Every structure is written in C-alpha cells, then in structure tokens.
Amino acid sequence: MNENFMKERPVLPLLLSMALPMVLSMLVNSLYNIVDSFFVAQISEDAMTALSLVYPIQNFINAVGIGFGVGINAVIAFYLGAGDSSRADRAASQGLLLAVVHSIVMTIGSIAVMPVFLRRFTSSETVIDLGLRYSAVAFLFTIVIVAGVTFEKIFQAVGSMKVTMVSLMCGCVANIILDPVLIFGLGPFPEMGMEGAALATGIGQSFTLAIYLVVYLVRPSRVRIRRQYLALDRKMVLKLYSIGIPASLNLALPSVLISSLNAILSSYSEVYILVLGIYYKLQTFLYLPANGIVQGMRPLIGFNYGAGEHKRVNQIYQIVLCMSGSIMILGTAICLIFPGQLMSLFTHTPETIRAGETALRIISAGFLVSAVSVTSSGALEGLGKGVPSLVISLCRYVIVILPAAFLLGKIFGPVGVWNAFWITEAVTAVIAFGVYRSSTRPQN
C-alpha cells in the first residue's frame, strides 16, 4: 500500500473509503444499543429506568477509553504524516499501557460508587437493585472495553478502517444474538435477567477485542506495540494526555448532563427520567453514524496537518460537515413523523409514550445545526487541538444547556427542559464555528 495515500488520493473518494466502513459499524453499534434496551425493557419498566440511571457511568467509562484513544490516534497519525514511524510506535505502545492503567482504576471506582450514585436519583429499591445487578457485571469488562478501543484507534490511525468495521460489527452482532438468550434463558442457558444483559454486552466487546488481537498478530502493520517503548517518556505522555484528556472530557460531559437533567426531571416524575433515557438510546442511532464519519476524518486531518497539507484539511472539514448535516436531516424527519412508534419500542405505558412524543419533536429541532459542533469538535481533535474542542463541548453539555434547562424547567416544566436542547445546539453552533476558524487560522 502507498503509505502516503492519505495526502495523495482525491479528498472525497478518500474520505468515503475511510468513513463509510466506520459509518456502517456505528450503525450496527447503534442498532445493538436499541436492541439491548428493547430486551431490557421487556423485563420491566423499572429495568429500563435502572439502565437509564446506570448509563452516565457507562458513558464515562467509554468516554475515558475513547477519548484517550483519540489522543493516541491523533499522535500516531501526526507522526506518520511527518514520516517518523518510531515515534508513532512509541505513541501506540505507551498509549496502550496507560489505557490499561486507566481501566483498572475505573473498574474499582465505578463498582464502588454505584450504590450511592443510584440513590441520588431514585428511592425505588427495585430500581436500585436492578441497577446494581447490571453494573456489577458490566463494569467487570472495563479493561476489555478500553483495550478494544485502543486497538481500534491504532488501526484507524494507519487507515485500516475495514478492520475496525468488521471487529465492531462482529462484536455487536454477537451481543444482539446473546441478549435474548442470556436475559430470558433460551435453550440450555439459564434466565439471568439484568445480569444476562450485562454479560451479553461484555462478551460482545470481548469478541471485538479478540478480532483486533488476531489481526494485529497475523498481519503486518505500519504501527507496532514494542516492548522497548513501554518505558514512559515524559514528552510523549504529555502529548498523549494533552489531546486525550480534553477528548475524554468531551465524551464524558454527556454523563454530567444526563445526571444533572435526571436531577431536574426527578422533581416532576420518574416518567421523564425514563423518557430522557429512551431519547439517549434513540439518538445514538443518529449520532453514532455521524461519529463514524468523524472517526474517518480524524486520521486524514491529522496526517495532512502533519504533512503541511492545510488546503486538504479545509476540504475534508467542509465535506464532513455536509455529510453530517445530511444524517441529521434524516434523523429530524424520523423523529417528527414517527415519535410514538419510536417510544413504543421501549414502553407500552400511554403516559410515557405521550411524554416521549413531545420530547422527541421538540429536541429534534436542534439536530441539523448540531452538525457544526460535532464536525468542528472532531476536526480539532484530529488536529491535536484538544482544548478548543473541549470549549465547544463545554458549551454544548454544561455552560449553555444546564442553566437553560433549569430556568426553562422552572417556567414551563418538563417541556422547558426539552426546549433547552435545541436552543443550546443553535447557540453552540455559532460558538463552534468561531472557535474552529480561530484555531485553524494561519499564524503570521
């Protein structure tokens, strides 16, 4: 393979070849999220509520793994673009070591904090018990999740998008098959309920990691994990964290947002907590494909930036913005036309369905304009500019939406909270475009 294909091939075909495998894998991944929640909802509405309350901690774990992986990806792509393969190997080796350390700390911390965390949002002992049973199994797979994400980002950095597509799809399909088998006890398997849902997810993630390891061991790659590079180098560690920490915070901020909104909505009814949880399951089907495009964009932008191809960087950004906007238009149409049908996948309670219909119609008004924030934040991460990317996410998940949700909720009730979503997306889009332009403006 031509090692400089990222800066030599025409931009649109190159971007499509990098992004489409990730979009397909993200679509399957989002389908797995929907199916996973669908089967949990068949246990009871309390089970779905428990899953919604556990989600912020799960998202935090994923955020740290993916965010630090973004740092590894960006550093590797930059050094490959600059023609420095030894530093690229060093980034991969030390990045994997640090990722394993992160996963051990998060496993212990997440299991320890769950009882107190759940009791902050519900007084139902049934919901708390279901949440603890699910999380006790799910969090044991943290090291598998983080290691899998690390190899995913390493493969993406060298342009091996088909490897990550196949690995993610196989893991997701395995999870979808195992969900009903382990939850309800089909065939020779015992009925495990919530523990079965968590175990199915963990096995699927283990399958994904196993495929990465097999491909890495049997197929040559431009980037290798090398024992001599495992000794931590201060400059490399700082470079990884300078991108990884802001990227992790970017992805962890939804956990802060969801927990804060749960606290606001709990003053009205647990129905609205359930509606919010269902919305975040549904919106993964929209934002994960958009994130797949962004994942295809990051190594291209990083490589071309490292190679000094600034015109191509700008072309890539503009094309990705259009592609993300197209996905958001489709998502808006679906939420406006079929809100009741979407909600009925997870609940049969008329009150919950009606509340969910209202929420989806209002929130979807901000989908299209959110493409600006999603694309700008991802592009800045690919350029190694983690702090400007974090500024965008802080506006989107904390600075604008939380005050807006609190104030509008006081005035209009739950409907005010839903309106805070599209208001925030509009405000943040303006800020995001300005931050991106100022951060990429050529220095005199």
Side-chain angles (χ1 to χ4, degrees):
M1 177 186 289
N2 178 8
E3 295 186 351
N4 290 315
F5 73 98
M6 290 193 201
K7 70 173 184 178
E8 293 178 354
R9 287 182 58 189
V11 172
L12 181 57
L14 175 61
L15 182 58
L16 290 174
S17 70
M18 297 283 282
L20 285 181
M22 296 313 305
V23 171
L24 290 173
S25 63
M26 291 296 100
L27 280 170
V28 174
N29 195 32
S30 58
L31 178 62
Y32 130 68
N33 276 311
I34 299 296
V35 173
D36 198 39
S37 299
F38 172 80
F39 284 116
V40 169
Q42 306 313 303
I43 300 174
S44 68
E45 197 163 279
D46 282 339
M48 189 61 197
T49 301
L51 195 65
S52 299
L53 291 176
V54 173
Y55 177 76
I57 301 298
Q58 281 186 295
N59 184 69
F60 176 79
I61 291 171
N62 288 328
V64 173
I66 296 172
F68 191 69
V70 168
I72 297 171
N73 176 283
V75 174
I76 291 174
F78 177 84
Y79 283 128
L80 290 178
D84 193 339
S85 58
S86 65
R87 286 189 178 274
D89 288 350
R90 192 183 299 272
S93 304
Q94 296 183 25
L96 178 61
L97 175 62
L98 292 169
V100 170
V101 173
H102 300 160
S103 65
I104 294 171
V105 173
M106 287 191 295
T107 300
I108 298 170
S110 58
I111 293 176
V113 78
M114 278 311 298
V116 175
F117 182 81
L118 290 172
R119 291 184 186 280
R120 290 184 62 86
F121 304 104
T122 181
S123 58
S124 170
E125 291 299 325
T126 301
V127 172
I128 292 170
D129 177 63
L130 290 167
L132 291 176
R133 285 163 51 193
Y134 178 86
S135 59
V137 176
F139 294 158
L140 291 177
F141 289 91
T142 299
I143 190 168
V144 173
I145 297 170
V146 174
V149 168
T150 302
F151 275 99
E152 172 191 320
K153 299 306 178 187
I154 291 172
F155 279 114
Q156 288 176 2
V158 298
S160 298
M161 299 309 206
K162 290 182 181 178
V163 173
T164 59
M165 178 187 71
V166 171
S167 300
L168 288 170
M169 291 180 70
C170 288
C172 291
V173 170
N175 179 251
I176 291 170
I177 294 172
L178 289 172
D179 259 334
V181 171
L182 298 181
I183 292 173
F184 304 114
L186 303 181
F189 297 92
E191 181 179 345
M192 299 179 66
M194 292 295 281
E195 291 90 340
L199 184 59
T201 301
I203 293 173
Q205 291 161 337
S206 300
F207 199 49
T208 295
L209 175 60
I211 294 174
Y212 283 137
L213 292 175
V214 170
V215 173
Y216 174 81
L217 291 173
V218 303
R219 199 173 84 173
S221 173
R222 290 183 65 189
V223 175
R224 307 297 295 179
I225 308 296
R226 302 187 186 279
R227 183 178 300 176
Q228 67 265 32
Y229 292 150
L230 289 176
L232 297 179
D233 173 80
R234 183 173 178 272
K235 289 184 178 180
M236 182 60 70
V237 170
L238 289 175
K239 194 170 185 65
L240 290 169
Y241 277 121
S242 69
I243 304 171
I245 290 178
S248 297
L249 290 174
N250 281 344
L251 296 166
L253 287 173
S255 293
V256 177
L257 172 62
I258 295 168
S259 297
S260 301
L261 292 180
N262 281 341
I264 294 172
L265 293 169
S266 65
S267 64
Y268 303 109
S269 169
E270 284 195 0
V271 166
Y272 299 110
I273 293 178
L274 177 57
V275 168
L276 183 68
I278 292 174
Y279 161 70
Y280 270 99
K281 292 295 181 181
L282 290 171
Q283 62 101 38
T284 61
F285 209 82
L286 180 65
Y287 282 101
L288 281 182
N291 185 52
I293 296 174
V294 169
Q295 288 192 47
M297 170 186 67
R298 282 196 193 106
L300 291 179
I301 276 190
F303 190 98
N304 282 279
Y305 187 68
E309 298 286 342
H310 300 292
K311 184 179 179 180
R312 282 174 66 87
V313 168
N314 189 49
Q315 285 181 298
I316 293 167
Y317 172 83
Q318 292 176 357
I319 293 173
V320 169
L321 182 59
C322 293
M323 295 171 70
S324 297
S326 299
I327 291 175
M328 298 303 169
I329 290 173
L330 177 62
T332 303
I334 292 172
C335 287
L336 290 176
I337 299 171
F338 306 110
Q341 291 88 332
L342 293 173
M343 292 300 300
S344 63
L345 292 172
F346 306 99
T347 180
H348 301 294
T349 305
E351 179 190 1
T352 306
I353 292 174
R354 285 194 299 272
E357 287 177 332
T358 300
L360 288 180
R361 287 195 174 106
I362 294 173
I363 294 173
S364 64
F367 286 169
L368 176 57
V369 74
S370 71
V372 178
S373 302
V374 172
T375 304
S376 299
S377 184
L380 288 167
E381 288 172 351
L383 295 171
K385 298 179 182 292
V387 174
S389 176
L390 178 59
V391 169
I392 296 171
S393 294
L394 281 170
C395 292
R396 194 171 178 220
Y397 295 116
V398 179
I399 295 173
V400 180
I401 192 169
L402 290 184
F406 179 79
L407 293 174
L408 293 174
K410 288 291 185 182
I411 299 171
F412 302 107
V415 172
V417 176
W418 309 140
N419 275 282
F421 278 82
W422 70 263
I423 292 171
T424 298
E425 295 294 5
V427 173
T428 305
V430 175
I431 296 171
F433 188 71
V435 169
Y436 177 79
R437 291 294 297 271
S438 64
S439 299
T440 56
R441 186 178 297 120
Q443 301 295 317
N444 294 327

